[in-house]
Amino acid sequence: MTVIKGESAREGADDKGDMTAVTGGGVPDDGYAPSERRLARERYRRARARRATAVAALSTLVTAVLLYLVVVSAPGWPRTKETFFSAHYAREAFPKVLEGLWLNVRLLLICGVAVLVLGMLIAVARTLRGPVFFPLRVLAAAYTDFFRGLPLIINLMIVVLGVPALRLQGVTVDPVLLGGTALTLTYSAYVAEVFRAGIESIHPSQRAAARSLGLTNRQALRYVVLPQAVRRQVPPLLNDLVSLQKDTGLVSIGGAVDAVRAADIIVGRSLNYTPYIVAGLVFVALTIPMTRFTDWVTARMDRRRAQGGSL
């Protein structure tokens, strides 16, 4: 038992000495040399990391090869390759799909801002207190329930195809504007619930402390509750924006020439579906950076929360 304690004490002393030299907790010694135990641990960690990387690379390669063999050995692969993976039609479709993608990007930027603003207003309306605001709370709840339950494709058809049929004076019939309106109506309902969840996650003591400092209910909501709620809900908000980016392609049902519609025009003329693959890959390439950024923000916030830092 004494030997074990002595060994543990020596190991702890080695670790403390190493940490002092690394972190600068004391005066650095130019003649410092890490202990053999520490060097052995570092070698073991590096070897384990290299082994894990090699195993991951090998398993990925084996999986890719198996999937490739399964696909190319299928009886209908030659016909599928000609219909969906034609290099000729991919070269023809790519510039036109990119030109149409600019419309999707503009819709994402404009509708994204509108969704955030409208969603925030609806969330605040649902959290207002007092009997005088009861009608407003009911309307906000009815809005979120209706548009969250209504499929987006049906909402788009109603707005894009139904509004022009009414022939209202002064109302636009532009499918891009109508499609953007339908996207905003649907996604603002989802974003409103995200904001409301963030507002209700703030402990009541925060609002009470703000009131005790002389702030009004409006000021407490604006300066104390909403900033914390928005920071907490950044990851789900980014996920909604990623989904919005993909769904901007649905405005093509009204005739707007976006990336999907540009591919559809070529498909209708050639009866080859490669342009759809090109459009899909372009959307994936646009979505992946946003998804990775969302993952990075989520992981960063989780680390700060685990360390007891502010959100």
Side-chain angles (χ1 to χ4, degrees):
M1 190 67 180
T2 304
V3 175
I4 295 176
K5 288 183 178 180
E7 183 67 22
S8 300
R10 285 193 298 273
E11 182 178 353
D14 291 340
D15 291 340
K16 289 181 180 178
D18 295 343
M19 290 301 296
T20 300
V22 172
T23 60
V27 178
D29 185 4
D30 294 337
Y32 165 77
S35 64
E36 288 297 329
R37 188 183 300 276
R38 182 181 182 87
L39 293 175
R41 286 198 299 266
E42 292 178 352
R43 286 194 297 269
Y44 173 73
R45 293 193 186 102
R46 289 194 296 268
R48 186 172 60 179
R50 289 193 297 268
R51 184 166 56 251
T53 302
V55 171
L58 180 60
S59 63
T60 302
L61 179 61
V62 170
T63 303
V65 170
L66 290 177
L67 289 176
Y68 174 78
L69 293 177
V70 168
V71 171
V72 300
S73 62
W77 168 244
R79 180 60 177 170
T80 302
K81 180 180 178 181
E82 178 184 353
T83 306
F84 288 90
F85 301 100
S86 172
H88 169 72
Y89 289 108
R91 287 191 297 268
E92 178 184 353
F94 185 69
K96 297 180 180 179
V97 168
L98 280 184
E99 182 180 353
L101 185 68
W102 174 234
L103 175 60
N104 298 104
V105 173
R106 284 181 292 168
L107 278 173
L108 171 64
L109 297 176
I110 297 174
C111 293
V113 174
V115 163
L116 292 176
V117 173
L118 183 57
M120 175 65 77
L121 294 176
I122 297 171
V124 171
R126 291 202 64 180
T127 57
L128 291 176
R129 300 179 179 181
V132 69
F133 296 113
F134 176 76
L136 192 58
R137 291 197 300 267
V138 170
L139 289 176
Y143 178 92
T144 56
D145 291 342
F146 179 78
F147 282 105
R148 289 175 70 198
L150 183 68
L152 175 59
I153 188 68
I154 295 179
N155 185 18
L156 280 164
M157 289 181 177
I158 292 174
V159 176
V160 175
L161 303 179
V163 171
L166 296 175
R167 298 181 181 180
L168 298 175
Q169 294 294 328
V171 178
T172 181
V173 295
D174 187 350
V176 176
L177 296 178
L178 294 176
T181 301
L183 290 172
T184 303
L185 290 174
T186 295
Y187 271 90
S188 60
Y190 289 98
V191 170
E193 288 300 283
V194 173
F195 278 130
R196 185 171 72 94
I199 293 173
E200 293 182 348
S201 69
I202 304 301
H203 197 274
S205 62
Q206 297 286 320
R207 193 187 296 264
R211 294 301 309 277
S212 68
L213 294 175
L215 275 67
T216 64
N217 279 325
R218 181 188 304 176
Q219 291 173 332
L221 180 65
R222 177 181 177 183
Y223 296 110
V224 178
V225 177
L226 284 182
Q228 297 182 71
V230 171
R231 282 197 298 270
R232 290 185 178 185
Q233 298 305 102
V234 166
L237 288 174
L238 291 175
N239 282 325
D240 284 335
L241 290 180
V242 171
S243 298
L244 176 62
Q245 185 269 321
K246 295 183 296 183
D247 287 339
T248 55
L250 295 176
V251 298
S252 60
I253 65 174
V257 183
D258 67 332
V260 177
R261 183 60 179 170
D264 188 59
I265 293 174
I266 301 176
V267 170
R269 185 181 68 249
S270 64
L271 297 180
N272 188 282
Y273 297 103
T274 303
Y276 285 148
I277 302 298
V278 174
L281 292 177
V282 167
F283 272 101
V284 170
L286 185 63
T287 302
I288 286 178
M290 297 178 62
T291 305
R292 296 287 75 82
F293 177 71
T294 302
D295 294 340
W296 177 81
V297 171
T298 303
R300 181 172 178 268
M301 296 184 69
D302 289 342
R303 287 195 301 269
R304 296 186 64 181
R305 188 181 296 112
Q307 295 171 359
S310 60
L311 296 176

